Amino acid sequence: MQPKTKKIVIAALGVISLFLFNCAVYFYLKTIQASPKQNTNQKEPPKLFSPLTNREEPNLKIQSNPPGDYHILLLGTDQRTPKQQYYRTDAIMVVSILKNEKRVVLTSIPRDLWLSGTKINAHYANEGFDKFKHRIGKVIGIEPDYFVSMGFDGFVWSVNQLGSINTNVERSFIDPKYPPDRPNAPYPVSFETGTQNFSAEKALVYCRSRKGTNGEGNDFQRIRRQQNLLINVPQAFTNSDLVKLSAEALYNLFSGHMQTNLGVGEIAELLPIVKGWKNYKTEQIVLDTNNYLYEPPRDYYGGAYVLKPRGDSFETIHQVVLNKLTGDASTASCNTCEN
């Protein structure tokens, strides 16, 4: 046999062998798939996402905002420097100002609430306010008209303009695990019961701490402290020189230290409300695991701590917020909700 012919024969045999091998593998796999499954004691691997992870709320109505009312979304981010591109909104609060009724409702949403495939605190930085307000609407049933967002530096700068804030600390605590990431923050972290005069950095610590003792070591208590501080901001404003400024001057002063869609016109309308804050009744809503939320198994979320609405529906929360806004005394209860 000629060398050239020999090479052709060897190559043909190789192709045939490869073809037969692939056929064998194919029929073997088909046989395995067709055979009945054996019972084993091995557990299924943990699911990364719950079956309800991406479920939308199909029939929940978003309430329209009556004329004259303000619904302002306040966002406190973990942005440490202006150049930081990615940050999370770890403080999420809707301030509903019902001007005709002289009432204010504060509604806080915890940062770990699971919504549309991720925690709610990740949406704003990725989507901006126009999309994020729709997500807020899915949770509480109303969409905010306006927003104010600021990071650590913006918060401290703003409180410095007020001079200080008097705040009633409901119970004393210390936080030995507070992160030492700001050079001017007061250490060690310690708060005594009673009315305290907070500097800007002290106010930031009060709103950030979540590892405190005496029952103050969780996000829900941190949220309550944030609301507690906010309630005292109008009085601090009226006690400061800021109260002498016009709406335009206030806008020019603060706009470079925060993100907002409030304009001079809106600030002009809000100024009399802030100055007359004592005439307004303030009501508070904090969504937590003692009322409308629950913690699903962490295995469903790759080991992460997340929160979901009881019954896996925001319907009850919508009703609770609506009742607060309308002054309905029959506020919906979630005692019968199932996880």
Side-chain angles (χ1 to χ4, degrees), residues 104-286:
V104 177
V105 179
L106 308 181
T107 305
S108 289
I109 302 171
R111 64 178 187 165
D112 294 308
L113 183 67
W114 191 259
L115 187 68
S116 300
T118 189
K119 293 184 181 184
I120 194 171
N121 67 344
H123 284 292
Y124 172 76
N126 294 326
E127 301 175 335
F129 173 69
D130 288 340
K131 289 186 177 180
F132 189 54
K133 70 178 182 180
H134 299 314
R135 300 199 184 278
I136 296 297
K138 287 184 178 181
V139 177
I140 65 174
I142 60 170
E143 292 184 357
D145 309 292
Y146 304 98
F147 80 100
V148 176
S149 173
M150 63 180 69
F152 296 162
D153 288 344
F155 178 91
V156 169
W157 182 90
S158 299
V159 177
N160 274 330
Q161 305 312 301
L162 298 173
S164 61
I165 300 178
N166 288 325
T167 302
N168 181 37
V169 179
E170 296 180 349
R171 54 186 175 187
S172 61
F173 68 94
I174 62 174
D175 185 352
K177 297 182 179 180
Y178 189 86
D181 54 1
R182 293 188 65 83
N184 297 321
Y187 293 102
V189 172
S190 175
F191 292 91
E192 296 296 331
T193 304
T195 301
Q196 309 288 321
N197 184 262
F198 287 164
S199 65
E201 289 287 352
K202 186 81 170 181
L204 179 63
V205 173
Y206 182 72
C207 290
R208 282 186 67 193
S209 172
R210 63 186 184 94
K211 299 290 184 180
T213 59
N214 198 23
E216 293 291 328
N218 57 64
D219 274 348
F220 305 127
Q221 289 306 116
R222 175 167 71 170
I223 288 172
R224 289 179 172 86
R225 292 198 303 272
Q226 291 165 357
Q227 291 190 351
N228 187 26
L229 185 83
L230 180 66
I231 289 171
N232 292 281
V233 168
Q235 186 60 50
F237 176 82
T238 56
N239 292 339
S240 72
D241 291 336
L242 295 176
V243 73
K244 303 174 184 178
L245 299 181
S246 66
E248 183 177 2
L250 286 170
Y251 176 82
N252 292 333
L253 180 64
F254 280 86
S255 60
H257 298 271
M258 61 184 65
Q259 298 177 8
T260 184
N261 63 345
L262 288 167
V264 175
E266 288 79 23
I267 294 175
E269 292 183 9
L270 290 171
L271 265 178
I273 297 173
V274 175
K275 293 177 181 179
W277 193 263
K278 287 184 177 180
N279 299 321
Y280 281 72
K281 178 183 178 182
T282 302
E283 301 174 72
Q284 298 167 254
I285 302 173
V286 175

Side-chain angles (χ1 to χ4, degrees), residues 7-64:
K7 289 181 181 180
I8 294 174
V9 171
I10 292 174
L13 290 174
V15 172
I16 294 171
S17 299
L18 182 61
F19 172 76
L20 293 175
F21 174 77
N22 287 335
C23 289
V25 170
Y26 171 80
F27 285 112
Y28 172 77
L29 292 176
K30 293 294 289 184
T31 303
I32 294 296
Q33 292 175 357
S35 62
K37 295 182 179 179
Q38 297 180 353
N39 294 326
T40 66
N41 294 324
Q42 295 180 349
K43 295 182 179 179
E44 293 184 3
K47 299 175 182 178
L48 181 58
F49 300 115
S50 162
L52 295 174
T53 291
N54 293 315
R55 193 184 79 169
E56 300 293 340
E57 296 290 348
N59 298 314
L60 296 186
K61 182 180 179 182
I62 306 301
Q63 301 297 320
S64 58

